[in-house]
Amino acid sequence: MMYQQPSSSGGVQFKEPLAKRSREMLQLDSYQVVGATSILVNSQRKQLKPDNTILGQVSCTLEFDGASRGNPGLAGAGAVLRAENGTVVHRLREGVGIATNNVAEYRGLILGLRYALERGFKNIRVQGDSKLVCMQVQGLWKIKNQNMANLCKVAKELKEKFASFEIKHVLREFNSEADAQANLAVNLRGEG
C-alpha cells in the first residue's frame, strides 16, 4: 500500500506506510502530539466509541498553520485538534523541508484533516490565518501555481470525507497555538 505525502516539489510517494516512516519528522509531547508517521494507526480507530468522551465525539475544530524561515526556506506545518467543548485533543506538527509559507499552511491543513479522519471525527470546523488557503479550499480564489493546485486538491479530497466541513479565515491572534506548533515543526527533519 502506498501513501502520498505532498511536498514542496509537488508530490513524493513512499512505499511504506506512514507509521513506519522516520520518527525524526515528529516530536511527541505530553499532549499526544502526532505527526505524519503515526496518522494511520488502525488499532486506535477500533477503540473509538460513539459516546460523549473527548475522543468519541463526532465533531471537532481544527486550527492549522504553517511557517517558513526564508519563504522559501526551512518550513513546518502545525495543527491543533479541539473537541466540541474547546478542549485540546491533539497538537500535531510536521517538518516540511524547504518550502514556501503557503505550502506549509496547506501541509498543516492536510496534516490536521488526515488525523481527524483517522480519529473518527465526522464533522469538522476548520480555521486558519491563511486567507489564501481558506479561500482556495472553498473554491472562491483561483490557483495559479501547480504545486498549490495539487495541495488544494488533496485538501478538497479530504474535506469530502467528512459529513460536514466548514472552513474560515481567522486573525493571527486567534490561531496562536497552531502557529506555535508550526514554528516548532520548522526544526523537524522534513522530506523537502
Side-chain angles (χ1 to χ4, degrees):
M1 183 176 249
M2 288 183 24
Y3 299 99
Q4 185 168 353
Q5 185 71 20
S7 73
S8 60
S9 61
V12 176
Q13 290 191 333
F14 296 95
K15 293 183 179 169
E16 69 270 13
L18 291 174
K20 292 182 181 177
R21 287 180 37 207
S22 169
R23 302 288 288 168
E24 292 178 34
M25 289 178 62
L26 304 175
Q27 184 173 351
L28 302 176
D29 68 17
S30 61
Y31 290 98
Q32 294 181 315
V33 174
V34 297
T37 64
S38 58
I39 288 175
L40 300 171
V41 180
N42 290 329
S43 63
Q44 291 176 351
R45 180 184 295 165
K46 294 175 187 172
Q47 295 172 357
L48 295 178
K49 297 177 185 174
D51 59 16
N52 289 328
T53 63
I54 289 177
L55 291 179
Q57 293 182 23
V58 295
S59 298
C60 67
T61 298
L62 171 64
E63 301 165 11
F64 73 93
D65 205 359
S68 176
R69 295 192 182 136
N71 201 25
L74 203 52
V80 176
L81 197 63
R82 295 183 183 274
E84 291 177 271
N85 65 6
T87 305
V88 173
V89 176
H90 293 280
R91 289 180 171 90
L92 304 101
R93 54 186 169 262
E94 174 184 55
V96 176
I98 303 298
T100 65
N101 192 63
N102 290 334
V103 166
E105 297 268 4
Y106 262 111
R107 293 284 297 272
L109 172 61
I110 291 166
L111 176 68
L113 291 175
R114 284 184 174 158
Y115 191 76
L117 285 167
E118 277 303 309
R119 288 297 176 158
F121 289 102
K122 303 291 183 207
N123 306 298
I124 192 164
R125 290 178 307 281
V126 179
Q127 66 182 48
D129 61 21
S130 172
K131 191 167 191 173
L132 178 113
V133 170
C134 293
M135 299 301 270
Q136 287 178 342
V137 169
Q138 292 178 70
L140 299 173
W141 285 8
K142 292 183 181 181
I143 307 168
K144 297 177 184 176
N145 177 286
Q146 186 58 49
N147 187 40
M148 298 293 287
N150 293 341
L151 291 167
C152 188
K153 180 181 178 202
V154 171
K156 285 181 175 183
E157 288 170 354
L158 291 169
K159 95 175 193 177
E160 294 302 318
K161 295 180 180 185
F162 290 94
S164 69
F165 177 95
E166 175 187 327
I167 188 169
K168 68 178 181 175
H169 173 254
V170 296
L171 298 176
R172 184 175 294 206
E173 58 262 25
F174 300 111
N175 207 41
S176 60
E177 287 197 55
D179 177 67
Q181 296 307 309
N183 280 295
L184 288 169
V186 168
N187 299 316
L188 299 176
R189 189 174 136 229
E191 59 201 45

